[in-house]
Amino acid sequence: MLPIGMTLTLFGMLLLAFAPSYWVVLFSVCFVGLGSAAFHPEGSRVSYMAAGSRKGLAQSIFQVGGNAGQSLAPIMTKWIFLPLGLFGSIWFTGVAAVAIVVQLYIARWYKVMLQTAPVKGHRCREARRQPTMP
């Protein structure tokens, strides 16, 4: 889901850069929102899995990164969107393309980890289904 989410965001940013009307802007923002909604739960899960014994630290870094990105929005608006208009969003497609390449690598790692690591939740459910006899 990581590369898929970022691809939806990339498509939304491209559409936003060339939006001829308000309705196309709204449509493109929907793609950006869908991409974000697909990325964040899975990104949090991957950071948790990659953290090893420092799960709290990994989640904190994930959260701080997101908050830092969100706090940059006013600065990006002043320096990019006001001078360049909606076409200024085209600059972010390069960042999204690089992120997709990185996330394809991470997705392969994640797939291997899911196949090799035991899933604790399933064992607990199976243990509850089979009552022990005295």
Side-chain angles (χ1 to χ4, degrees), residues 81-128:
F81 297 121
L82 289 178
L84 301 175
L86 285 178
F87 189 74
S89 65
I90 198 82
W91 292 102
F92 297 100
T93 59
V95 175
V98 170
I100 290 168
V101 171
V102 170
Q103 289 170 2
L104 285 169
Y105 172 77
I106 292 170
R108 285 189 206 110
W109 172 84
Y110 185 47
K111 181 180 178 183
V112 170
M113 290 301 293
L114 286 178
Q115 290 172 345
T116 59
V119 179
K120 295 178 184 175
H122 293 290
R123 280 191 258 144
C124 293
R125 284 189 216 124
E126 289 175 15
R128 283 189 221 137

XYZ file of all heavy atoms in Angstrom, residues 81-128:
384
model
N 3.438 28.269 -3.938
C 2.107 28.359 -4.534
C 1.668 29.782 -4.859
O 1.001 29.995 -5.861
C 1.072 27.661 -3.643
C 1.321 26.190 -3.495
C 1.521 25.629 -2.249
C 1.370 25.367 -4.605
C 1.769 24.276 -2.113
C 1.613 24.010 -4.474
C 1.815 23.463 -3.223
N 2.022 30.743 -4.026
C 1.644 32.125 -4.353
C 2.385 32.640 -5.580
O 1.772 33.184 -6.495
C 1.849 33.047 -3.148
C 0.865 32.854 -2.001
C 1.192 33.787 -0.848
C -0.568 33.058 -2.458
N 3.721 32.482 -5.669
C 4.400 32.982 -6.865
C 4.113 32.167 -8.129
O 4.023 32.725 -9.216
C 5.891 32.902 -6.525
C 6.000 32.572 -5.091
C 4.680 32.068 -4.644
N 3.983 30.851 -7.991
C 3.853 30.002 -9.186
C 2.425 29.542 -9.467
O 2.169 28.950 -10.506
C 4.753 28.761 -9.041
C 6.243 29.032 -8.860
C 6.990 27.738 -8.619
C 6.791 29.755 -10.077
N 1.510 29.734 -8.536
C 0.142 29.267 -8.712
C 0.060 27.754 -8.541
O 0.971 27.119 -8.001
N -1.025 27.174 -9.024
C -1.204 25.728 -8.894
C -0.120 24.941 -9.614
O 0.231 23.835 -9.212
C -2.574 25.304 -9.432
C -3.769 25.629 -8.560
C -5.050 25.191 -9.240
C -3.638 24.986 -7.207
N 0.447 25.519 -10.660
C 1.495 24.813 -11.387
C 2.728 24.574 -10.515
O 3.522 23.678 -10.777
C 1.891 25.570 -12.664
C 2.802 24.769 -13.546
C 2.312 23.713 -14.294
C 4.159 25.058 -13.594
C 3.151 22.965 -15.087
C 5.008 24.319 -14.394
C 4.504 23.265 -15.145
N 2.867 25.326 -9.435
C 3.974 25.121 -8.509
C 3.966 23.746 -7.878
O 4.999 23.245 -7.425
N 2.808 23.109 -7.847
C 2.725 21.760 -7.265
C 3.493 20.732 -8.090
O 3.789 19.643 -7.599
C 1.265 21.333 -7.108
O 0.646 21.212 -8.365
N 3.844 21.071 -9.319
C 4.602 20.152 -10.171
C 5.963 19.833 -9.532
O 6.510 18.751 -9.738
C 4.764 20.713 -11.600
C 5.152 19.609 -12.588
C 5.804 21.795 -11.659
C 4.006 18.818 -13.078
N 6.514 20.744 -8.735
C 7.802 20.507 -8.088
C 7.744 19.348 -7.106
O 8.761 18.705 -6.846
C 8.280 21.771 -7.378
C 8.629 22.853 -8.331
C 7.873 23.951 -8.641
C 9.805 22.946 -9.135
N 8.508 24.718 -9.585
C 9.705 24.117 -9.905
C 10.934 22.150 -9.289
C 10.686 24.507 -10.797
C 11.914 22.547 -10.181
C 11.779 23.715 -10.921
N 6.583 19.090 -6.558
C 6.461 18.021 -5.564
C 6.312 16.648 -6.200
O 6.429 15.639 -5.514
C 5.288 18.310 -4.630
C 5.501 19.563 -3.846
C 4.896 20.742 -4.225
C 6.352 19.570 -2.758
C 5.113 21.902 -3.523
C 6.578 20.727 -2.046
C 5.959 21.895 -2.426
N 6.079 16.601 -7.495
C 5.970 15.292 -8.147
C 7.324 14.590 -8.177
O 7.383 13.360 -8.103
C 5.405 15.423 -9.570
O 6.251 16.276 -10.343
C 3.986 15.991 -9.548
N 8.407 15.339 -8.265
C 9.741 14.729 -8.214
C 10.005 14.083 -6.862
O 10.544 12.976 -6.779
N 9.599 14.765 -5.805
C 9.745 14.212 -4.458
C 8.908 12.946 -4.328
O 9.358 11.934 -3.777
C 9.337 15.257 -3.394
C 9.366 14.663 -2.005
C 10.221 16.478 -3.476
N 7.690 12.986 -4.845
C 6.818 11.811 -4.779
C 7.386 10.652 -5.597
O 7.309 9.492 -5.175
C 5.412 12.169 -5.261
N 7.972 10.935 -6.742
C 8.552 9.869 -7.573
C 9.723 9.200 -6.855
O 9.842 7.966 -6.864
C 8.996 10.434 -8.924
N 10.570 9.984 -6.221
C 11.681 9.411 -5.450
C 11.135 8.581 -4.288
O 11.626 7.478 -4.002
C 12.627 10.527 -4.950
C 13.635 9.996 -3.949
C 13.330 11.180 -6.118
N 10.106 9.088 -3.627
C 9.500 8.354 -2.508
C 8.903 7.030 -2.968
O 8.976 6.032 -2.245
C 8.440 9.214 -1.830
N 8.325 6.995 -4.159
C 7.760 5.746 -4.684
C 8.862 4.715 -4.887
O 8.697 3.534 -4.535
C 6.976 6.008 -5.988
C 5.696 6.778 -5.680
C 6.657 4.697 -6.703
C 5.002 7.322 -6.903
N 9.994 5.136 -5.421
C 11.117 4.214 -5.633
C 11.597 3.657 -4.291
O 11.806 2.446 -4.144
C 12.264 4.917 -6.388
C 13.513 4.060 -6.419
C 11.822 5.273 -7.795
N 11.749 4.519 -3.301
C 12.171 4.069 -1.972
C 11.133 3.122 -1.379
O 11.474 2.079 -0.798
C 12.412 5.285 -1.041
C 12.610 4.847 0.394
C 13.593 6.100 -1.528
N 9.866 3.438 -1.549
C 8.820 2.613 -0.966
C 8.658 1.275 -1.673
O 8.209 0.310 -1.058
C 7.506 3.383 -0.949
C 7.560 4.492 0.071
C 6.392 5.430 -0.046
O 5.501 5.249 -0.854
N 6.401 6.450 0.782
N 9.022 1.193 -2.927
C 9.030 -0.113 -3.596
C 10.053 -1.040 -2.938
O 9.790 -2.227 -2.721
C 9.319 0.043 -5.086
C 8.176 0.586 -5.925
C 8.665 0.948 -7.323
C 7.039 -0.418 -5.995
N 11.205 -0.491 -2.584
C 12.224 -1.263 -1.871
C 11.699 -1.674 -0.493
O 11.834 -2.827 -0.077
C 13.503 -0.440 -1.742
C 14.541 -1.082 -0.868
C 15.308 -2.147 -1.333
C 14.743 -0.640 0.435
C 16.255 -2.744 -0.523
C 15.687 -1.230 1.250
C 16.438 -2.288 0.765
O 17.357 -2.878 1.575
N 11.089 -0.739 0.226
C 10.553 -1.021 1.555
C 9.435 -2.058 1.472
O 9.322 -2.937 2.331
C 10.066 0.275 2.225
C 11.259 1.173 2.552
C 9.275 -0.014 3.496
C 10.890 2.566 2.997
N 8.607 -1.985 0.440
C 7.512 -2.938 0.289
C 8.041 -4.358 0.093
O 7.464 -5.319 0.612
C 6.614 -2.536 -0.887
N 9.131 -4.494 -0.640
C 9.746 -5.826 -0.799
C 10.250 -6.347 0.549
O 10.063 -7.506 0.890
C 10.881 -5.775 -1.811
C 10.404 -5.689 -3.225
C 11.560 -5.855 -4.214
N 11.199 -5.173 -5.435
C 11.741 -4.059 -5.883
N 12.751 -3.514 -5.241
N 11.331 -3.498 -6.987
N 10.914 -5.483 1.317
C 11.389 -5.868 2.642
C 10.218 -6.261 3.539
O 10.268 -7.258 4.247
C 12.172 -4.710 3.267
C 12.523 -4.948 4.695
C 13.592 -5.648 5.172
C 11.789 -4.503 5.838
N 13.560 -5.656 6.546
C 12.461 -4.960 6.979
C 10.619 -3.751 6.007
C 12.011 -4.704 8.271
C 10.167 -3.490 7.282
C 10.866 -3.961 8.400
N 9.166 -5.478 3.496
C 7.978 -5.721 4.319
C 7.337 -7.059 3.965
O 6.924 -7.811 4.848
C 7.008 -4.555 4.112
C 5.770 -4.575 4.959
C 5.821 -4.829 6.316
C 4.528 -4.306 4.389
C 4.676 -4.815 7.089
C 3.385 -4.285 5.147
C 3.459 -4.542 6.504
O 2.334 -4.530 7.261
N 7.280 -7.376 2.689
C 6.707 -8.643 2.254
C 7.514 -9.821 2.806
O 6.946 -10.791 3.311
C 6.673 -8.698 0.724
C 6.082 -9.969 0.174
C 6.087 -9.947 -1.336
C 5.544 -11.236 -1.901
N 5.598 -11.250 -3.361
N 8.834 -9.719 2.729
C 9.696 -10.774 3.280
C 9.496 -10.896 4.784
O 9.409 -12.004 5.326
C 11.174 -10.506 2.924
C 12.107 -11.435 3.678
C 11.386 -10.627 1.430
N 9.420 -9.772 5.466
C 9.232 -9.795 6.922
C 7.908 -10.442 7.297
O 7.833 -11.204 8.257
C 9.300 -8.377 7.497
C 10.682 -7.773 7.453
S 11.913 -8.714 8.357
C 11.357 -8.499 10.024
N 6.859 -10.150 6.548
C 5.561 -10.755 6.846
C 5.566 -12.259 6.591
O 4.904 -13.018 7.294
C 4.457 -10.094 6.016
C 4.049 -8.695 6.449
C 2.989 -8.146 5.500
C 3.538 -8.679 7.871
N 6.313 -12.707 5.594
C 6.368 -14.129 5.287
C 7.235 -14.891 6.282
O 6.974 -16.060 6.552
C 6.910 -14.343 3.871
C 5.945 -13.897 2.806
C 6.568 -13.920 1.417
O 7.770 -14.003 1.260
N 5.714 -13.838 0.405
N 8.268 -14.261 6.826
C 9.181 -14.973 7.716
C 8.854 -14.799 9.188
O 9.140 -15.688 9.983
C 10.637 -14.510 7.484
O 10.725 -13.109 7.721
C 11.083 -14.840 6.080
N 8.270 -13.680 9.555
C 7.973 -13.421 10.968
C 6.645 -14.072 11.345
O 5.675 -13.971 10.602
C 7.914 -11.920 11.225
N 6.603 -14.736 12.482
C 5.326 -15.310 12.915
C 4.346 -14.210 13.304
O 4.742 -13.168 13.817
C 5.707 -16.157 14.125
C 6.966 -15.561 14.629
C 7.672 -14.987 13.420
N 3.096 -14.460 13.052
C 2.050 -13.509 13.395
C 1.479 -13.919 14.735
O 0.913 -14.995 14.876
C 0.958 -13.468 12.299
C -0.125 -12.494 12.688
C 1.572 -13.110 10.968
N 1.653 -13.074 15.738
C 1.250 -13.408 17.098
C -0.261 -13.462 17.264
O -0.775 -14.289 17.989
C 1.838 -12.408 18.077
C 3.338 -12.460 18.133
C 3.861 -11.411 19.074
C 5.377 -11.407 19.039
N 5.933 -10.343 19.848
N -0.975 -12.600 16.589
C -2.417 -12.527 16.763
C -3.129 -13.806 16.381
O -4.072 -14.221 17.030
N -2.659 -14.483 15.348
C -3.321 -15.704 14.902
C -3.124 -16.829 15.903
O -4.021 -17.614 16.132
C -2.796 -16.129 13.529
C -3.165 -15.162 12.449
N -4.456 -15.028 12.005
C -2.428 -14.260 11.760
C -4.498 -14.098 11.059
N -3.272 -13.612 10.903
N -1.957 -16.917 16.506
C -1.720 -17.962 17.493
C -2.611 -17.762 18.710
O -3.100 -18.715 19.274
C -0.251 -17.969 17.909
C 0.606 -18.688 16.897
C 1.980 -18.906 17.470
N 2.841 -17.904 16.866
C 3.822 -17.289 17.461
N 4.116 -17.551 18.704
N 4.554 -16.402 16.835
N -2.817 -16.535 19.111
C -3.670 -16.269 20.278
C -5.102 -16.681 19.995
O -5.770 -17.258 20.844
C -3.615 -14.791 20.649
S -2.007 -14.262 21.251
N -5.579 -16.383 18.798
C -6.942 -16.778 18.445
C -7.101 -18.288 18.420
O -8.096 -18.821 18.871
C -7.323 -16.186 17.091
C -7.648 -14.731 17.161
C -8.222 -14.257 15.836
N -7.739 -12.907 15.630
C -7.080 -12.477 14.593
N -6.840 -13.277 13.589
N -6.668 -11.247 14.514
N -6.101 -18.988 17.882
C -6.172 -20.443 17.827
C -6.141 -21.036 19.229
O -6.821 -22.015 19.513
C -5.021 -20.997 16.996
C -5.176 -20.718 15.515
C -3.954 -21.169 14.715
O -3.138 -21.927 15.258
O -3.847 -20.752 13.565
N -5.358 -20.454 20.122
C -5.281 -20.962 21.486
C -6.614 -20.794 22.199
O -7.010 -21.655 22.991
C -4.180 -20.240 22.237
N -7.333 -19.749 21.931
C -8.640 -19.530 22.561
C -9.686 -20.508 22.047
O -10.611 -20.847 22.749
C -9.108 -18.105 22.317
C -8.422 -17.120 23.201
C -9.085 -15.763 23.077
N -8.019 -14.776 23.060
C -7.941 -13.754 22.278
N -8.881 -13.525 21.400
N -6.942 -12.917 22.338
